[in-house]
Amino acid sequence: MEYFSLWNGKINDTSDQAAYNAFVDRYYELETEAYRRILEACPEGRVWSGAAAELQDALGFDGDMVIFAGFLDGIRESLRQPIPLEEMTDETLISLDIDYEKLLYNMHKAGARWLYGLEAWDLVFDAEKREEIGRRFRRENIARRDEMRVGRNEPCPCGSGKKYKNCHGRPGAVLDGEEGS
């Protein structure tokens, strides 16, 4: 089963807007729960590893390997070792050795306030460290963001692969440092 290909197909198919919105809402719900579990296990220094099917179950994806593939795509820039996402099967051994500082930075980069605002981050970094990472992100990206004008049908700058209008361009969604649309 090519979970990553299925993920890309689903996340890019907006032909049925209601189905697409339901899929994305479910993704955000499962993603948030997975990050909560990961962050709560951080003080013990846990490296999440195992067969893909077992790992997705442990992180709360309820057997949804397609959404789990999307989650792995989102986290892979924050991992110390690459994962074979394009070839992933249920039996593929995966190790999520997370660089938590990079993860928090990348959440700012994606404009994912619902993730970088999780209370479980208190278990990983103190408030001063979290604020320092947020300031570093804003400082490194302020000029680019000031100049950025994204068209509705252009790819979203958060890197999701979705059109801006279906991602951070929807009402109420904001990229870090911007006002809502």
Side-chain angles (χ1 to χ4, degrees), residues 2-5 7 13-15 22 24 28 54 56 63 95-96 123 125 139 152 158-160 171 173:
E2 296 179 3
Y3 295 119
F4 188 60
S5 294
W7 161 257
D13 180 10
T14 58
S15 60
V24 170
Y28 286 143
E54 294 168 359
Q56 68 80 29
S95 179
L96 301 181
L123 301 169
F125 297 123
R139 186 176 53 250
R152 290 174 32 84
C158 78
S160 67

PDB file of all heavy atoms in Angstrom, residues 2-5 7 13-15 22 24 28 54 56 63 95-96 123 125 139 152 158-160 171 173:
ATOM      1  N   GLU A   2       0.625   2.144  -0.858  1.00  0.00           N
ATOM      2  CA  GLU A   2       1.413   3.377  -0.962  1.00  0.00           C
ATOM      3  C   GLU A   2       0.716   4.504  -0.204  1.00  0.00           C
ATOM      4  O   GLU A   2       0.024   5.339  -0.773  1.00  0.00           O
ATOM      5  CB  GLU A   2       1.603   3.745  -2.424  1.00  0.00           C
ATOM      6  CG  GLU A   2       2.415   2.735  -3.197  1.00  0.00           C
ATOM      7  CD  GLU A   2       2.574   3.121  -4.645  1.00  0.00           C
ATOM      8  OE1 GLU A   2       2.112   4.195  -5.047  1.00  0.00           O
ATOM      9  OE2 GLU A   2       3.177   2.328  -5.377  1.00  0.00           O
ATOM     10  N   TYR A   3       0.908   4.512   1.108  1.00  0.00           N
ATOM     11  CA  TYR A   3       0.212   5.462   1.964  1.00  0.00           C
ATOM     12  C   TYR A   3       0.549   6.914   1.640  1.00  0.00           C
ATOM     13  O   TYR A   3      -0.324   7.774   1.648  1.00  0.00           O
ATOM     14  CB  TYR A   3       0.516   5.172   3.433  1.00  0.00           C
ATOM     15  CG  TYR A   3      -0.004   3.841   3.892  1.00  0.00           C
ATOM     16  CD1 TYR A   3       0.861   2.861   4.354  1.00  0.00           C
ATOM     17  CD2 TYR A   3      -1.364   3.552   3.852  1.00  0.00           C
ATOM     18  CE1 TYR A   3       0.384   1.627   4.786  1.00  0.00           C
ATOM     19  CE2 TYR A   3      -1.850   2.320   4.272  1.00  0.00           C
ATOM     20  CZ  TYR A   3      -0.974   1.369   4.749  1.00  0.00           C
ATOM     21  OH  TYR A   3      -1.447   0.152   5.161  1.00  0.00           O
ATOM     22  N   PHE A   4       1.820   7.167   1.353  1.00  0.00           N
ATOM     23  CA  PHE A   4       2.226   8.543   1.074  1.00  0.00           C
ATOM     24  C   PHE A   4       1.590   9.052  -0.222  1.00  0.00           C
ATOM     25  O   PHE A   4       1.142  10.192  -0.293  1.00  0.00           O
ATOM     26  CB  PHE A   4       3.750   8.650   1.026  1.00  0.00           C
ATOM     27  CG  PHE A   4       4.241  10.057   0.928  1.00  0.00           C
ATOM     28  CD1 PHE A   4       3.947  10.991   1.917  1.00  0.00           C
ATOM     29  CD2 PHE A   4       5.008  10.469  -0.145  1.00  0.00           C
ATOM     30  CE1 PHE A   4       4.398  12.294   1.831  1.00  0.00           C
ATOM     31  CE2 PHE A   4       5.468  11.773  -0.237  1.00  0.00           C
ATOM     32  CZ  PHE A   4       5.162  12.685   0.748  1.00  0.00           C
ATOM     33  N   SER A   5       1.505   8.204  -1.235  1.00  0.00           N
ATOM     34  CA  SER A   5       0.842   8.591  -2.487  1.00  0.00           C
ATOM     35  C   SER A   5      -0.643   8.847  -2.251  1.00  0.00           C
ATOM     36  O   SER A   5      -1.218   9.801  -2.787  1.00  0.00           O
ATOM     37  CB  SER A   5       0.992   7.507  -3.548  1.00  0.00           C
ATOM     38  OG  SER A   5       2.338   7.373  -3.918  1.00  0.00           O
ATOM     39  N   TRP A   7      -1.955   9.816   0.566  1.00  0.00           N
ATOM     40  CA  TRP A   7      -2.011  11.080   1.305  1.00  0.00           C
ATOM     41  C   TRP A   7      -1.961  12.260   0.336  1.00  0.00           C
ATOM     42  O   TRP A   7      -2.786  13.165   0.401  1.00  0.00           O
ATOM     43  CB  TRP A   7      -0.866  11.175   2.314  1.00  0.00           C
ATOM     44  CG  TRP A   7      -0.590  12.580   2.766  1.00  0.00           C
ATOM     45  CD1 TRP A   7       0.438  13.382   2.349  1.00  0.00           C
ATOM     46  CD2 TRP A   7      -1.363  13.353   3.680  1.00  0.00           C
ATOM     47  NE1 TRP A   7       0.351  14.613   2.957  1.00  0.00           N
ATOM     48  CE2 TRP A   7      -0.746  14.618   3.782  1.00  0.00           C
ATOM     49  CE3 TRP A   7      -2.502  13.120   4.426  1.00  0.00           C
ATOM     50  CZ2 TRP A   7      -1.233  15.639   4.605  1.00  0.00           C
ATOM     51  CZ3 TRP A   7      -2.996  14.129   5.243  1.00  0.00           C
ATOM     52  CH2 TRP A   7      -2.364  15.370   5.326  1.00  0.00           C
ATOM     53  N   ASP A  13      -6.907  16.788  -3.524  1.00  0.00           N
ATOM     54  CA  ASP A  13      -8.184  16.635  -4.216  1.00  0.00           C
ATOM     55  C   ASP A  13      -9.268  17.462  -3.529  1.00  0.00           C
ATOM     56  O   ASP A  13      -9.790  17.084  -2.488  1.00  0.00           O
ATOM     57  CB  ASP A  13      -8.602  15.165  -4.243  1.00  0.00           C
ATOM     58  CG  ASP A  13      -9.930  14.950  -4.956  1.00  0.00           C
ATOM     59  OD1 ASP A  13     -10.450  15.898  -5.592  1.00  0.00           O
ATOM     60  OD2 ASP A  13     -10.460  13.828  -4.875  1.00  0.00           O
ATOM     61  N   THR A  14      -9.592  18.597  -4.122  1.00  0.00           N
ATOM     62  CA  THR A  14     -10.624  19.469  -3.567  1.00  0.00           C
ATOM     63  C   THR A  14     -11.903  19.426  -4.399  1.00  0.00           C
ATOM     64  O   THR A  14     -12.731  20.327  -4.318  1.00  0.00           O
ATOM     65  CB  THR A  14     -10.110  20.920  -3.447  1.00  0.00           C
ATOM     66  OG1 THR A  14      -9.702  21.360  -4.745  1.00  0.00           O
ATOM     67  CG2 THR A  14      -8.952  21.022  -2.480  1.00  0.00           C
ATOM     68  N   SER A  15     -12.079  18.370  -5.197  1.00  0.00           N
ATOM     69  CA  SER A  15     -13.253  18.281  -6.067  1.00  0.00           C
ATOM     70  C   SER A  15     -14.547  18.176  -5.261  1.00  0.00           C
ATOM     71  O   SER A  15     -15.579  18.673  -5.686  1.00  0.00           O
ATOM     72  CB  SER A  15     -13.126  17.088  -7.019  1.00  0.00           C
ATOM     73  OG  SER A  15     -13.013  15.884  -6.290  1.00  0.00           O
ATOM     74  N   ALA A  22     -13.725  17.680   5.699  1.00  0.00           N
ATOM     75  CA  ALA A  22     -13.828  16.654   6.732  1.00  0.00           C
ATOM     76  C   ALA A  22     -12.489  15.925   6.900  1.00  0.00           C
ATOM     77  O   ALA A  22     -12.057  15.651   8.020  1.00  0.00           O
ATOM     78  CB  ALA A  22     -14.938  15.661   6.389  1.00  0.00           C
ATOM     79  N   VAL A  24      -9.428  17.108   6.171  1.00  0.00           N
ATOM     80  CA  VAL A  24      -8.464  18.025   6.783  1.00  0.00           C
ATOM     81  C   VAL A  24      -8.767  18.218   8.269  1.00  0.00           C
ATOM     82  O   VAL A  24      -7.856  18.213   9.111  1.00  0.00           O
ATOM     83  CB  VAL A  24      -8.440  19.377   6.032  1.00  0.00           C
ATOM     84  CG1 VAL A  24      -7.630  20.415   6.784  1.00  0.00           C
ATOM     85  CG2 VAL A  24      -7.877  19.177   4.630  1.00  0.00           C
ATOM     86  N   TYR A  28      -6.174  17.394  11.340  1.00  0.00           N
ATOM     87  CA  TYR A  28      -5.762  18.316  12.406  1.00  0.00           C
ATOM     88  C   TYR A  28      -6.063  17.750  13.787  1.00  0.00           C
ATOM     89  O   TYR A  28      -5.272  17.901  14.725  1.00  0.00           O
ATOM     90  CB  TYR A  28      -6.432  19.676  12.238  1.00  0.00           C
ATOM     91  CG  TYR A  28      -5.868  20.507  11.105  1.00  0.00           C
ATOM     92  CD1 TYR A  28      -6.699  21.299  10.325  1.00  0.00           C
ATOM     93  CD2 TYR A  28      -4.513  20.505  10.811  1.00  0.00           C
ATOM     94  CE1 TYR A  28      -6.187  22.064   9.280  1.00  0.00           C
ATOM     95  CE2 TYR A  28      -3.993  21.256   9.773  1.00  0.00           C
ATOM     96  CZ  TYR A  28      -4.840  22.042   9.021  1.00  0.00           C
ATOM     97  OH  TYR A  28      -4.336  22.793   7.999  1.00  0.00           O
ATOM     98  N   GLU A  54       2.220  -0.151  14.114  1.00  0.00           N
ATOM     99  CA  GLU A  54       2.233  -0.084  15.576  1.00  0.00           C
ATOM    100  C   GLU A  54       2.428   1.352  16.054  1.00  0.00           C
ATOM    101  O   GLU A  54       1.788   1.792  17.009  1.00  0.00           O
ATOM    102  CB  GLU A  54       3.355  -0.959  16.124  1.00  0.00           C
ATOM    103  CG  GLU A  54       3.177  -2.428  15.871  1.00  0.00           C
ATOM    104  CD  GLU A  54       4.438  -3.228  16.165  1.00  0.00           C
ATOM    105  OE1 GLU A  54       5.477  -2.637  16.557  1.00  0.00           O
ATOM    106  OE2 GLU A  54       4.387  -4.459  15.984  1.00  0.00           O
ATOM    107  N   GLN A  56       1.702   4.192  14.428  1.00  0.00           N
ATOM    108  CA  GLN A  56       0.528   5.034  14.189  1.00  0.00           C
ATOM    109  C   GLN A  56      -0.538   4.746  15.235  1.00  0.00           C
ATOM    110  O   GLN A  56      -1.244   5.646  15.671  1.00  0.00           O
ATOM    111  CB  GLN A  56       0.001   4.896  12.754  1.00  0.00           C
ATOM    112  CG  GLN A  56      -0.602   3.572  12.368  1.00  0.00           C
ATOM    113  CD  GLN A  56      -2.025   3.371  12.823  1.00  0.00           C
ATOM    114  OE1 GLN A  56      -2.792   4.308  12.968  1.00  0.00           O
ATOM    115  NE2 GLN A  56      -2.362   2.126  13.072  1.00  0.00           N
ATOM    116  N   GLY A  63      -5.736   3.623  13.248  1.00  0.00           N
ATOM    117  CA  GLY A  63      -5.640   2.782  12.066  1.00  0.00           C
ATOM    118  C   GLY A  63      -5.627   3.529  10.748  1.00  0.00           C
ATOM    119  O   GLY A  63      -5.663   2.913   9.693  1.00  0.00           O
ATOM    120  N   SER A  95      11.709   5.310  13.148  1.00  0.00           N
ATOM    121  CA  SER A  95      12.209   5.861  14.395  1.00  0.00           C
ATOM    122  C   SER A  95      12.013   7.374  14.355  1.00  0.00           C
ATOM    123  O   SER A  95      12.521   8.038  13.457  1.00  0.00           O
ATOM    124  CB  SER A  95      13.689   5.523  14.571  1.00  0.00           C
ATOM    125  OG  SER A  95      14.168   6.086  15.770  1.00  0.00           O
ATOM    126  N   LEU A  96      11.254   7.876  15.308  1.00  0.00           N
ATOM    127  CA  LEU A  96      11.028   9.318  15.401  1.00  0.00           C
ATOM    128  C   LEU A  96      11.942   9.882  16.484  1.00  0.00           C
ATOM    129  O   LEU A  96      11.535  10.080  17.630  1.00  0.00           O
ATOM    130  CB  LEU A  96       9.554   9.624  15.719  1.00  0.00           C
ATOM    131  CG  LEU A  96       8.518   9.111  14.736  1.00  0.00           C
ATOM    132  CD1 LEU A  96       7.115   9.524  15.174  1.00  0.00           C
ATOM    133  CD2 LEU A  96       8.795   9.600  13.330  1.00  0.00           C
ATOM    134  N   LEU A 123       6.302  20.776  29.252  1.00  0.00           N
ATOM    135  CA  LEU A 123       7.087  19.629  29.708  1.00  0.00           C
ATOM    136  C   LEU A 123       8.420  19.517  28.980  1.00  0.00           C
ATOM    137  O   LEU A 123       9.308  18.787  29.421  1.00  0.00           O
ATOM    138  CB  LEU A 123       6.284  18.339  29.502  1.00  0.00           C
ATOM    139  CG  LEU A 123       4.943  18.262  30.226  1.00  0.00           C
ATOM    140  CD1 LEU A 123       4.142  17.070  29.724  1.00  0.00           C
ATOM    141  CD2 LEU A 123       5.161  18.202  31.730  1.00  0.00           C
ATOM    142  N   PHE A 125      10.135  22.490  27.141  1.00  0.00           N
ATOM    143  CA  PHE A 125      10.924  23.714  27.308  1.00  0.00           C
ATOM    144  C   PHE A 125      10.216  24.647  28.278  1.00  0.00           C
ATOM    145  O   PHE A 125       8.977  24.682  28.317  1.00  0.00           O
ATOM    146  CB  PHE A 125      11.074  24.465  25.976  1.00  0.00           C
ATOM    147  CG  PHE A 125      11.806  23.723  24.899  1.00  0.00           C
ATOM    148  CD1 PHE A 125      11.204  23.488  23.680  1.00  0.00           C
ATOM    149  CD2 PHE A 125      13.105  23.278  25.083  1.00  0.00           C
ATOM    150  CE1 PHE A 125      11.869  22.816  22.662  1.00  0.00           C
ATOM    151  CE2 PHE A 125      13.775  22.607  24.077  1.00  0.00           C
ATOM    152  CZ  PHE A 125      13.160  22.373  22.869  1.00  0.00           C
ATOM    153  N   ARG A 139      12.507  36.729  13.778  1.00  0.00           N
ATOM    154  CA  ARG A 139      13.663  37.519  13.348  1.00  0.00           C
ATOM    155  C   ARG A 139      14.204  37.001  12.003  1.00  0.00           C
ATOM    156  O   ARG A 139      14.528  37.781  11.114  1.00  0.00           O
ATOM    157  CB  ARG A 139      14.747  37.450  14.427  1.00  0.00           C
ATOM    158  CG  ARG A 139      15.939  38.332  14.193  1.00  0.00           C
ATOM    159  CD  ARG A 139      16.945  38.297  15.351  1.00  0.00           C
ATOM    160  NE  ARG A 139      17.368  36.947  15.703  1.00  0.00           N
ATOM    161  CZ  ARG A 139      17.037  36.307  16.840  1.00  0.00           C
ATOM    162  NH1 ARG A 139      16.266  36.896  17.732  1.00  0.00           N
ATOM    163  NH2 ARG A 139      17.478  35.089  17.075  1.00  0.00           N
ATOM    164  N   ARG A 152      -4.552  33.400  -3.978  1.00  0.00           N
ATOM    165  CA  ARG A 152      -5.459  32.367  -3.471  1.00  0.00           C
ATOM    166  C   ARG A 152      -5.159  30.974  -4.011  1.00  0.00           C
ATOM    167  O   ARG A 152      -5.280  29.994  -3.296  1.00  0.00           O
ATOM    168  CB  ARG A 152      -6.912  32.720  -3.847  1.00  0.00           C
ATOM    169  CG  ARG A 152      -7.478  33.886  -3.123  1.00  0.00           C
ATOM    170  CD  ARG A 152      -8.880  34.283  -3.641  1.00  0.00           C
ATOM    171  NE  ARG A 152      -9.715  33.208  -4.134  1.00  0.00           N
ATOM    172  CZ  ARG A 152     -10.493  32.408  -3.399  1.00  0.00           C
ATOM    173  NH1 ARG A 152     -10.505  32.556  -2.101  1.00  0.00           N
ATOM    174  NH2 ARG A 152     -11.243  31.476  -3.956  1.00  0.00           N
ATOM    175  N   CYS A 158       3.184  27.653   4.000  1.00  0.00           N
ATOM    176  CA  CYS A 158       3.493  26.814   5.165  1.00  0.00           C
ATOM    177  C   CYS A 158       4.110  25.488   4.752  1.00  0.00           C
ATOM    178  O   CYS A 158       4.634  24.760   5.577  1.00  0.00           O
ATOM    179  CB  CYS A 158       2.243  26.582   6.010  1.00  0.00           C
ATOM    180  SG  CYS A 158       1.109  25.337   5.359  1.00  0.00           S
ATOM    181  N   GLY A 159       4.021  25.146   3.450  1.00  0.00           N
ATOM    182  CA  GLY A 159       4.626  23.912   2.971  1.00  0.00           C
ATOM    183  C   GLY A 159       3.692  22.711   2.969  1.00  0.00           C
ATOM    184  O   GLY A 159       4.116  21.592   2.738  1.00  0.00           O
ATOM    185  N   SER A 160       2.413  22.924   3.210  1.00  0.00           N
ATOM    186  CA  SER A 160       1.467  21.808   3.259  1.00  0.00           C
ATOM    187  C   SER A 160       1.217  21.171   1.903  1.00  0.00           C
ATOM    188  O   SER A 160       0.753  20.041   1.815  1.00  0.00           O
ATOM    189  CB  SER A 160       0.124  22.277   3.822  1.00  0.00           C
ATOM    190  OG  SER A 160      -0.505  23.179   2.910  1.00  0.00           O
ATOM    191  N   PRO A 171     -10.838  31.638   6.107  1.00  0.00           N
ATOM    192  CA  PRO A 171     -11.199  32.590   7.167  1.00  0.00           C
ATOM    193  C   PRO A 171     -10.765  32.093   8.535  1.00  0.00           C
ATOM    194  O   PRO A 171     -10.968  30.934   8.876  1.00  0.00           O
ATOM    195  CB  PRO A 171     -12.724  32.667   7.071  1.00  0.00           C
ATOM    196  CG  PRO A 171     -13.028  32.281   5.663  1.00  0.00           C
ATOM    197  CD  PRO A 171     -11.977  31.272   5.282  1.00  0.00           C
ATOM    198  N   ALA A 173      -7.754  31.587   9.615  1.00  0.00           N
ATOM    199  CA  ALA A 173      -6.414  30.999   9.638  1.00  0.00           C
ATOM    200  C   ALA A 173      -5.396  32.089   9.387  1.00  0.00           C
ATOM    201  O   ALA A 173      -5.616  32.990   8.585  1.00  0.00           O
ATOM    202  CB  ALA A 173      -6.288  29.918   8.571  1.00  0.00           C
TER     203      ALA A 173
END
